[in-house]
Amino acid sequence: MAGGARDRGRSVTSRVLAILDAFDAGRPRLTLSEIAARSGLALSTVHRLVGELEEWQALRRTADGSYHIGIRLWELGQLAPDSLQAVAHPWLQELLASTGENVHLAIREGVEVLYVDRVFGRRAVPIVSRTGGRLPMHCTGVGKALLAFEPGWFVTSFLSRPLERFTPHTVTEPGRLSRELAQIRARGYALTHEEMTLGSCSAAAPIISDGVPVAAVGIVVSSRRVRELPRLVDPLLAATDGIARAYQATMVPATRPRQERRD
């Protein structure tokens, strides 16, 4: 489609949002051509709008000509209210101090988990999660911890979807995953072993507020130390219980999380 014909009917705002939405954790740096392809906009439109976004510092151009998210958007992002992260962060730091392992906080976004905070030490095992990144629910500790405490209709809907196998250990069979979720609900925490990436395993538990799983905390260790996971469960549960109580105290009745409704 020539020129800007492919953009006809789209507002300037929708075009700018499409450009910003082209970036994600998997593709944090993009060329103009890549932005055009991922946003569905004409290259001429992308060239013009990216120039304005760069001038405003929403995007930043690197030496090789690619672009990444700029400091201005980071500054605006810090204005988003997130009492949960603020409440949870000291507990995450305490878990790091007591275990020396990667500790992260995640929430559910659709059928994925979004990592909103992470603390780690120099000796911690490398992991794929990053603050602001998303990963599937069915193969991550925090994802399973959240999924297990979601309403039955959501779990049923989730299990009806095709589940991607990331490693030979990823659980993708609906029946087997359903049984595992039942075990997680019964004991209050999830354990995973090389389901997302080879070489790492995790323990995770949900943060429950008013009966709703608002987030989950996970600890990731090397698979060589999988036998050490059970000793991490008690400090993990103490942290999630503490976060839940502290978070509940910050909420007024009108703003407490409510169970998601099925339309």
Side-chain angles (χ1 to χ4, degrees):
M1 194 173 292
R6 65 194 293 190
D7 307 332
R8 192 169 296 140
R10 300 182 68 173
S11 68
V12 174
T13 301
S14 71
R15 296 172 191 177
V16 169
L17 293 176
I19 288 173
L20 296 178
D21 195 48
F23 296 86
D24 57 30
R27 300 297 300 274
R29 294 176 182 267
L30 298 170
T31 64
L32 287 174
S33 296
E34 290 170 334
I35 294 173
R38 289 171 65 86
S39 66
L41 299 173
L43 184 59
S44 58
T45 300
V46 169
H47 186 275
R48 174 174 56 85
L49 293 178
V50 165
E52 295 181 21
L53 289 168
E54 181 187 8
E55 183 178 356
W56 191 70
Q57 295 184 308
L59 295 178
R60 182 175 180 182
R61 189 172 187 268
T62 62
D64 64 3
S66 63
Y67 292 83
H68 62 78
I69 296 298
I71 191 68
R72 194 69 177 270
L73 288 184
W74 178 84
E75 291 176 331
L76 289 176
Q78 300 307 299
L79 300 178
D82 192 353
S83 60
L84 174 62
Q85 182 181 359
V87 166
H89 191 75
W91 293 90
L92 303 186
Q93 289 180 312
E94 286 189 12
L95 267 180
L96 169 63
S98 63
T99 66
E101 308 296 346
N102 288 293
V103 180
H104 49 220
L105 176 73
I107 62 174
R108 179 172 74 83
E109 279 289 315
V111 294
E112 299 176 306
V113 287
L114 172 64
Y115 292 86
V116 296
D117 201 358
R118 176 187 169 202
V119 293
F120 56 95
R122 291 179 297 172
R123 294 178 296 176
V125 62
I127 57 176
V128 295
S129 66
R130 59 183 294 274
T131 302
R134 296 170 182 254
L135 288 175
M137 296 186 75
H138 69 285
C139 55
T140 55
V142 288
K144 288 187 176 185
L146 287 168
L147 184 58
F149 289 87
E150 289 292 340
W153 68 262
F154 180 86
V155 175
T156 300
S157 175
F158 185 92
L159 294 178
S160 69
R161 303 169 60 255
L163 302 177
E164 184 175 355
R165 186 181 299 277
F166 292 89
T167 77
H169 306 287
T170 306
V171 179
T172 59
E173 300 82 1
R176 180 181 171 190
L177 183 54
S178 178
R179 290 190 295 272
E180 185 176 345
L181 295 176
Q183 294 174 348
I184 294 169
R185 283 193 297 272
R187 68 190 180 198
Y189 61 90
L191 299 175
T192 65
H193 181 248
E194 298 189 330
E195 294 188 43
M196 183 68 221
T197 54
L198 296 175
S200 64
C201 52
S202 68
I207 299 168
I208 306 294
S209 177
D210 276 353
V212 178
V214 295
V217 175
I219 304 176
V220 182
V221 303
S222 168
S223 295
R224 296 191 302 271
R225 299 167 53 207
V226 64
R227 294 183 179 179
E228 297 181 31
L229 277 182
R231 74 171 179 83
L232 301 177
V233 170
D234 284 345
L236 172 65
L237 294 178
T240 54
D241 288 346
I243 295 170
R245 290 194 302 271
Y247 180 62
Q248 191 86 4
T250 69
M251 306 295 288
V252 296
T255 60
R256 283 177 179 164
R258 294 179 298 176
Q259 192 77 21
E260 183 175 333
R261 296 178 59 187
R262 183 182 185 183
D263 296 327

